[in-house]
């Protein structure tokens, strides 16, 4: 067997693990695939005779690639609406891919996603590598470029934030997601009855758009305001840590619906169209 074949076999033996590491750090399947591919390129360019533990070497490399991608992502705040794949995915490419389906099923979860999106790139990598993959801090430190003690502190900060996120939301994020999914399905199909089912009797809709009522109250009045054609361009998203909706026809952000919840239903909706207000929001789109 040639060295090239041996190297290929070694990489393929670790590909599943590398995908798992990259996906949990980045939260995006496509970006994870890119990171794994880049680790293969770097392996091909390296002096493999000097590599004692190829699995550990590849894990280090893919983690560094992910770290660079996260830092680049943070530097492009105008592109902050990252397309995370959380929970089930309707992406046609996912069908028939058991490994991808397993990763999505064992997803990091919405509560963790909320916090990961607010962490620094270094904190995020430190937490995922240590708490999910049990990699020692001594090995994480050189990946991030810090001391072992600093890596430990980063993971600890991330851990505290994640624990806080699991208990801070007034309505569980998974319940919020189900309500938003039902809301979008009803709006798209024009099913007024189904839309009324997810609204609290005292629901309030506030709107900053010109030529629109500034405030509407009551289930029927609010539901009628929401039965518009733009629902087809609407997607679920995290809006300042709560599940809401973004409307971006053609990829251009047009509206944000910031949603308030109470008693297991939608209690309030803020329709935000002002670019200055939208710029201040922390937005993370969620796959459907």
């Amino acid at each position: 067997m040639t060295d090239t074949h041996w190297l290929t076999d070694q990489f393929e033996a670790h590909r599943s693990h590398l995908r798992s590491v990259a996906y949990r750090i980045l939260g995006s399947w496509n970006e994870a695939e890119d990171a794994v591919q880049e680790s293969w390129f770097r392996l091909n360019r390296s002096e493999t005779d000097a590599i004692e533990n190829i699995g550990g070497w590849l894990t280090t490399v893919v983690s560094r690639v992910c770290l660079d991608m996260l830092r680049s992502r943070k530097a492009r705040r105008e592109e902050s609406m990252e397309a995370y794949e959380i929970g089930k995915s309707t992406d046609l490419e996912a069908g028939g891919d058991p490994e991808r389906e397993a990763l999505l099923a064992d997803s990091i979860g919405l509560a963790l996603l909320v916090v990961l999106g607010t962490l620094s790139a270094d904190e995020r990598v430190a937490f995922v590598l240590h708490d999910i993959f049990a990699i020692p801090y001594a090995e994480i430190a050189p990946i991030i470029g810090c001391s072992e003690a600093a890596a430990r502190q980063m993971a600890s900060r991330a851990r505290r934030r994640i624990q806080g996120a699991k208990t801070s939301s007034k309505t569980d994020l998974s319940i919020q997601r189900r309500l938003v999914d039902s809301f979008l399905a009803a709006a798209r199909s024009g099913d007024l009855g189904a839309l009324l089912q997810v609204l609290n009797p005292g629901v309030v809709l506030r709107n900053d758009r010109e030529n629109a009522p500034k405030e509407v109250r009551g289930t029927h009045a609010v539901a009628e305001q929401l039965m518009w054609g733009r629902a087809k361009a609407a997607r679920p998203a995290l809006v300042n840590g709560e599940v809401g909706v973004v409307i971006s026809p053609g990829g251009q952000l047009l509206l944000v619906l910031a949603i308030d919840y109470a008693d297991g239903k939608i209690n309030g909706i803020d329709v935000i169209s002002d670019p200055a207000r939208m710029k201040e929001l922390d937005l993370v789109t969620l796959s459907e």
Side-chain angles (χ1 to χ4, degrees):
M1 182 179 293
T2 66
D3 289 343
T4 301
H5 288 159
W6 178 86
L7 202 61
T8 301
D9 288 345
Q10 289 294 306
F11 183 80
E12 290 301 326
H14 294 91
R15 181 187 288 272
S16 179
H17 169 72
L18 298 176
R19 278 175 169 168
S20 184
V21 171
Y23 175 72
R24 284 170 172 81
I25 291 176
L26 295 168
S28 163
W29 182 263
N30 290 334
E31 286 189 343
E33 290 280 23
D34 290 342
V36 172
Q37 188 66 19
E38 176 60 24
S39 69
W40 164 247
F41 293 147
R42 296 191 185 187
L43 179 63
N44 269 297
R45 295 194 299 263
S46 301
E47 295 292 335
T48 55
D49 290 343
I51 300 175
E52 295 182 3
N53 179 352
I54 195 166
W57 187 91
L58 283 168
T59 299
T60 296
V61 168
V62 81
S63 298
R64 284 175 174 160
V65 172
C66 291
L67 181 60
D68 290 341
M69 294 172 75
L70 285 176
R71 287 169 173 168
S72 176
R73 184 192 287 172
K74 289 294 185 182
R76 302 192 315 271
R77 289 303 297 169
E78 70 277 8
E79 300 176 15
S80 63
M81 291 176 58
E82 303 137 35
Y84 286 89
E85 294 168 305
I86 289 299
K88 67 179 183 180
S89 172
T90 58
D91 187 342
L92 294 178
E93 294 180 1
D97 187 339
E99 180 184 355
R100 180 175 183 175
E101 290 172 359
L103 272 176
L104 292 173
D106 187 29
S107 174
I108 53 180
L110 280 176
L112 180 53
L113 170 61
V114 173
V115 185
L116 287 181
T118 66
L119 299 177
S120 71
D122 294 359
E123 289 171 339
R124 188 161 169 166
V125 170
F127 170 79
V128 170
L129 292 182
H130 182 268
D131 283 46
I132 297 180
F133 293 97
I135 295 176
Y137 291 117
E139 297 178 22
I140 296 172
I143 293 174
I144 299 174
C146 66
S147 67
E148 182 177 345
R152 186 185 301 275
Q153 284 185 330
M154 289 176 192
S156 179
R157 282 199 300 269
R159 197 177 303 116
R160 287 196 299 271
R161 286 167 127 181
I162 288 161
Q163 291 301 319
K166 290 179 179 178
T167 58
S168 63
S169 183
K170 291 178 291 184
T171 301
D172 184 86
L173 287 166
S174 62
I175 296 175
Q176 294 181 12
R177 179 62 191 268
R178 287 197 296 273
L179 288 169
V180 166
D181 286 346
S182 297
F183 156 64
L184 289 177
R188 287 167 181 162
S189 64
D191 189 341
L192 181 61
L195 187 53
L196 293 173
Q197 290 296 314
V198 302
L199 301 177
N200 257 340
V203 64
V204 180
L205 183 143
R206 292 168 287 270
N207 204 324
D208 72 358
R209 292 180 296 169
E210 294 183 6
N211 303 319
K214 297 305 178 185
E215 186 172 287
V216 176
R217 293 179 175 270
T219 53
H220 281 84
V222 169
E224 289 172 0
Q225 290 289 317
L226 296 172
M227 302 295 283
W228 24 246
R230 291 196 181 103
K232 291 184 178 179
R235 294 188 62 188
L238 291 172
V239 182
N240 291 340
E242 303 285 332
V243 182
V245 175
V246 294
I247 299 164
S248 49
Q252 182 176 0
L253 184 61
L254 182 65
L255 295 173
V256 175
L257 306 188
I259 300 176
D260 180 57
Y261 303 87
D263 303 320
K265 290 193 175 184
I266 292 174
N267 197 53
I269 302 173
D270 283 291
V271 181
I272 302 169
S273 64
D274 180 16
R277 289 184 66 194
M278 289 193 291
K279 190 175 181 180
E280 294 176 353
L281 300 173
D282 183 9
L283 302 176
V284 180
T285 57
L286 305 171
S287 66
E288 295 189 81

